[in-house]
Amino acid sequence: MARITIVEDDVWMREELIDILQKEGFEVTAITDFHDVVAQIATLAPDLVLLDINLPEQSGFEICKSLKSKGIAPILILTSRDKLQDELHGLHLGADDYLTKPFNRDRLLARIQNLLRRFEGQPGLIDGGSFSLDPNTFTLYKGPQSLLLSANEGKILLALVQNRPEVVSKRALSELLWGTDQYIDENALQVNLTRLRKALRQLGLENQIETVRGQGYRLRGQVKR
């Protein structure tokens, strides 16, 4: 059963959406406290977010942008704003679809089913033991906390997670980051490792990466079987 979170401040509209979706067999949660909406949605981890734009505490556009940065998708914007520039702005921020009110019930359900099919089977979060990593966005998750890594930091961490408990050589990491291990100053790799370790510390994940002298790096901890 797909889980849908509704972000809609109009009570009547919200109740109508809940009724429509529940009758179609979806598990529905509606946001009613519009403070820290992104954190609430991240905790719920829905399969799809139905997002209004005109909200009391924060613009739906800002929420959309934050959700995409955390790899939370898909997002269907459902709004009374019917101007092309609003639709384009929402799509440029990462919204996966855009539908205006008043909406046709069957059209809404068709859009939702299309999005769920599109995202079905896409790689989910990778278990790093003490944390999770989105391999598509390089967003790092630990409990309710999340952090968007840079591309290089994400590539290194993903390689370490996928190879743990084995050591990943400096050469392999250099090829991963720059496509070659030639003419690469080892200090450049060190700088990226230092930045990654600093990022991990922000989520209380100190000492996750072990340096194996003369060989490379590996992730500490046991692999879950």
Side-chain angles (χ1 to χ4, degrees):
M1 180 188 299
R3 293 169 289 116
I4 297 178
T5 294
I6 299 171
V7 187
E8 168 64 67
D9 63 323
D10 183 287
V11 176
W12 296 107
M13 177 62 70
R14 188 164 68 225
E15 293 300 321
E16 182 182 357
L17 288 169
I18 291 172
D19 183 59
I20 290 172
L21 296 175
Q22 286 183 336
K23 285 180 178 175
E24 289 298 312
F26 294 112
E27 183 180 324
V28 184
T29 304
I31 299 293
T32 56
D33 176 0
F34 295 93
H35 181 66
D36 287 338
V37 171
V38 173
Q40 293 181 61
I41 295 175
T43 301
L44 292 168
D47 297 304
L48 183 143
V49 177
L50 208 54
L51 177 64
D52 189 17
I53 291 177
N54 299 318
L55 298 169
E57 298 283 341
Q58 187 179 14
S59 164
F61 287 134
E62 295 175 19
I63 294 172
C64 177
K65 184 178 179 181
S66 296
L67 290 176
K68 298 305 290 191
S69 72
K70 295 177 182 297
I72 298 173
I75 298 172
L76 194 165
I77 289 180
L78 183 62
T79 178
S80 57
R81 293 198 190 185
D82 57 2
K83 292 183 178 177
L84 178 60
Q85 65 185 56
D86 288 323
E87 180 174 352
L88 293 176
H89 185 49
L91 295 174
H92 287 154
L93 290 176
D96 300 284
D97 203 350
Y98 192 101
L99 187 62
T100 56
K101 305 171 189 171
F103 61 88
N104 175 279
R105 172 185 174 281
D106 292 335
R107 179 176 289 123
L108 172 66
L109 291 173
R111 296 284 187 90
I112 289 174
Q113 293 291 2
N114 281 342
L115 284 177
L116 291 173
R117 279 196 295 271
R118 269 175 54 193
F119 283 81
E120 187 179 22
Q122 288 197 3
L125 298 181
I126 293 180
D127 182 11
S130 304
F131 60 87
S132 298
L133 179 68
D134 185 325
N136 299 306
T137 63
F138 297 137
T139 304
L140 180 65
Y141 296 94
K142 183 190 176 191
Q145 298 177 287
S146 65
L147 184 67
L148 182 63
L149 301 175
S150 71
N152 280 357
E153 293 163 6
K155 288 177 183 177
I156 293 172
L157 186 58
L158 181 58
L160 296 178
V161 171
Q162 290 176 327
N163 287 281
R164 67 175 176 152
E166 304 300 325
V167 175
V168 182
S169 69
K170 295 178 180 178
R171 177 177 180 178
L173 290 175
S174 294
E175 290 179 343
L176 179 66
L177 297 185
W178 298 290
T180 176
D181 65 332
Q182 302 296 315
Y183 313 115
I184 299 298
D185 185 348
E186 193 172 306
N187 288 333
L189 181 59
Q190 289 285 355
V191 167
N192 282 277
L193 261 298
T194 299
R195 289 174 177 164
L196 175 57
R197 284 177 163 132
K198 184 177 180 181
L200 289 166
R201 280 201 298 274
Q202 292 183 50
L203 295 189
L205 295 166
E206 296 86 354
N207 302 318
Q208 291 287 310
I209 299 173
E210 179 184 5
T211 301
V212 181
R213 190 167 185 150
Q215 297 184 47
Y217 305 90
R218 66 184 171 195
L219 202 64
R220 296 181 191 274
Q222 298 297 314
V223 180
K224 291 183 179 180
R225 302 292 185 186

